[in-house]
Amino acid sequence: MNAYFDEREVQDSEAREKDLFTRLPEFLSTATDKAPGLARWLTGIALEDIRSRQDLARLPVLRKSELLRLQRDDPPLGGFANIDALKGAHVFMSPGPIWEIQPPVPDPWHAARALFAAGVRAGDVAHNAFAYHMTPGGFMLDEGARALGCAVFPAGTGNTDVQVEAASALRPAVYCGTPDFLKIMLDRASEAGCDLSSFRIGLVSGGALFPSLRAEYAERGIRVLQCYATADIGVIAYETTNKDGEPLPGMIVNEDLIVEIVRPGTNDTVPDGEVGEVVVTSFNTAYPMVRLGTGDLSAVVSGASECGRTNMRLKGWMGRADQRTKVKGMFIDPEQVGALLKRHGEIARARLVVTREGETDAMALHVEPAGGNALDEDAIANSLRDITKLGGSVTTVPPGSLPNDGKVIADERDYAR
């Protein structure tokens, strides 16, 4: 069995760096010709001179909040897409909303490499429980698995009983989805007397794979690895294993990406090992993102990986640089909490608290009443579900009891367990 997806994974690091920055000026020239919004964003910069990381660091970081504003001013894509690439393409909407398009090439989000590193091979059957609705998550892993030569069952989200029944009949070897839904499926299968022992590999994303949950899967005979992906870029980095199949520290950055770690709220890169915001430049000619600030926190892991791959390693997802928070694979944005407050004028202040119940994400909205009003917690909970598309509890707290720290979303999950 081949150890690597291709030889690029083990090329000399300096050769990879030279190749990326040799290609970058021409890419920037082509991208700005085809994407007028990107051209406006980079106005006044001599793009032909961007030939190193130091040069790239002179460009502004494009953060999601700014991209959201630009798309609203020039809908739907803010001029950041190559219009020619829209022909025959999927268009997706992520929470915000932020719009993305699917590049018209095989495996457009470069997921096959992550699947291969997880142990998936041609001929495997994959049960894909990522959402195919509105957002590109399901399509990302679907395209990658099929490019690798797998058959894919597009299960999507929800309908747990039906998914268990389908997996019991189809006998897939591979699970793709959020980290906790596989446990939900396995537990439901045990209750129903269904056999899901065919699962032997999992590639998960969209949430934290807690060590306790990974260990539980291992006890059930399933090796689960994770990848770090965004709707705008695709798979940014992925876990690998040693020769014994054990997960190695950090995540290998995908090929054809330039990843930087910058100080949150600035354009400035930080030293290796320091936690900062993940900023990515891709060579995607359909939807070119240049120094896109993901809003995610991570850090560079020094040294080479034991697996033999030579690209940069990230520590993995370490939280959000802003308050935008991922819950059950979906982002919750502070603007959504603001929309709920506008809908319910009887609320003075609110704070969405994200926790973990067992191995599943949970959220609770803490609300202070305005002017002594009695709050209808059921109605507020219905609005929370309507706006975020996720369920959560609502708790009324005394006026003035919420911390005065500017937070409307508080992630209180313990990522060390």
Side-chain angles (χ1 to χ4, degrees), residues 141-157:
L141 275 295
D142 187 300
E143 290 278 348
R146 290 190 295 116
L148 198 56
C150 300
V152 179
F153 176 63
T157 58

Side-chain angles (χ1 to χ4, degrees), residues 298-383:
S298 192
V300 173
V301 180
S302 61
S305 173
E306 184 184 328
C307 71
R309 293 172 178 84
T310 56
N311 210 344
M312 173 193 292
R313 284 187 295 166
L314 300 179
K315 284 190 177 180
W317 189 82
M318 301 175 69
R320 293 291 295 173
D322 55 22
Q323 294 181 49
R324 202 164 181 248
T325 303
K326 190 173 285 186
V327 182
K328 295 184 178 179
M330 294 283 288
F331 275 116
I332 305 297
D333 196 283
E335 289 190 8
Q336 292 174 299
V337 179
L340 186 141
L341 291 174
K342 288 181 180 178
R343 185 178 295 187
H344 292 275
E346 69 276 18
I347 301 175
R349 299 172 66 210
R351 185 183 184 98
L352 188 65
V353 179
V354 182
T355 56
R356 188 175 170 218
E357 293 180 358
E359 302 293 355
T360 303
D361 292 339
M363 62 184 193
L365 185 69
H366 297 184
V367 291
E368 292 182 6
N373 289 314
L375 300 182
D376 185 339
E377 293 181 353
D378 290 339
I380 296 169
N382 287 337
S383 293

Side-chain angles (χ1 to χ4, degrees), residues 19-244:
D19 174 66
L20 289 171
F21 284 94
T22 298
R23 293 159 52 198
L24 185 60
E26 183 178 352
F27 168 76
L28 292 174
S29 175
T30 302
T32 50
D33 283 345
K34 296 291 186 179
L38 179 63
R40 289 191 294 269
W41 178 252
L42 298 177
T43 295
I45 297 171
L47 300 178
E48 67 274 11
D49 294 337
I50 308 301
R51 298 181 178 275
S52 69
R53 287 184 181 268
Q54 292 73 24
D55 296 334
L56 184 62
R58 300 203 307 266
L59 275 55
V61 173
L62 176 62
R63 292 190 162 85
K64 295 289 186 77
S65 57
E66 187 68 16
L67 181 59
L68 178 62
R69 182 189 67 78
L70 292 167
Q71 289 191 347
R72 285 176 175 171
D73 290 346
D74 183 13
L77 291 156
F80 280 79
N82 178 347
I83 299 302
D84 294 338
L86 284 169
K87 298 173 183 176
H90 285 119
V91 179
F92 299 101
M93 183 180 74
S94 294
I98 291 177
W99 297 89
E100 304 100 8
I101 67 170
Q102 176 175 341
V105 295
D107 189 22
W109 295 283
H110 307 289
R113 196 178 295 277
L115 287 158
F116 188 93
V120 181
R121 296 295 183 268
D124 285 339
V125 177
H127 182 106
N128 188 13
F130 282 112
Y132 283 80
H133 180 60
M134 293 192 184
T135 62
F139 290 89
M140 268 187 210
L141 275 295
D142 187 300
E143 290 278 348
R146 290 190 295 116
L148 198 56
C150 300
V152 179
F153 176 63
T157 58
N159 301 307
T160 305
D161 290 332
V162 176
Q163 292 213 37
V164 167
E165 182 181 348
S168 178
L170 191 60
R171 308 292 295 163
V174 181
Y175 165 85
C176 298
T178 56
D180 55 357
F181 188 66
L182 176 58
K183 176 175 167 55
I184 292 172
M185 285 185 64
L186 294 171
D187 290 347
R188 188 69 60 86
S190 296
E191 295 169 3
C194 293
D195 180 9
L196 296 190
S197 62
S198 63
F199 282 129
R200 57 181 178 81
I201 295 171
L203 181 65
V204 301
S205 192
L209 175 59
F210 296 98
S212 60
L213 187 56
R214 193 195 313 252
E216 180 175 337
Y217 289 144
E219 290 174 0
R220 297 190 188 211
I222 308 171
R223 184 178 68 201
V224 177
L225 273 69
Q226 56 190 329
C227 64
Y228 163 45
T230 69
D232 328 76
I233 302 294
V235 174
I236 295 173
Y238 55 91
E239 284 190 315
T240 62
T241 64
N242 62 19
K243 58 183 176 59
D244 297 320

Side-chain angles (χ1 to χ4, degrees), residues 211-291:
S212 60
L213 187 56
R214 193 195 313 252
E216 180 175 337
Y217 289 144
E219 290 174 0
R220 297 190 188 211
I222 308 171
R223 184 178 68 201
V224 177
L225 273 69
Q226 56 190 329
C227 64
Y228 163 45
T230 69
D232 328 76
I233 302 294
V235 174
I236 295 173
Y238 55 91
E239 284 190 315
T240 62
T241 64
N242 62 19
K243 58 183 176 59
D244 297 320
E246 298 168 340
L248 290 169
M251 291 186 178
I252 302 290
V253 169
N254 216 335
E255 301 296 327
D256 295 314
L257 298 178
I258 300 172
V259 173
E260 306 167 272
I261 305 295
V262 308
R263 188 163 289 109
T266 76
N267 296 325
D268 306 325
T269 57
V270 300
D272 286 359
E274 185 174 329
V275 176
E277 182 181 5
V278 178
V279 170
V280 185
T281 298
S282 72
F283 287 80
N284 179 347
T285 56
Y287 190 50
M289 291 287 108
V290 179
R291 294 205 91 196

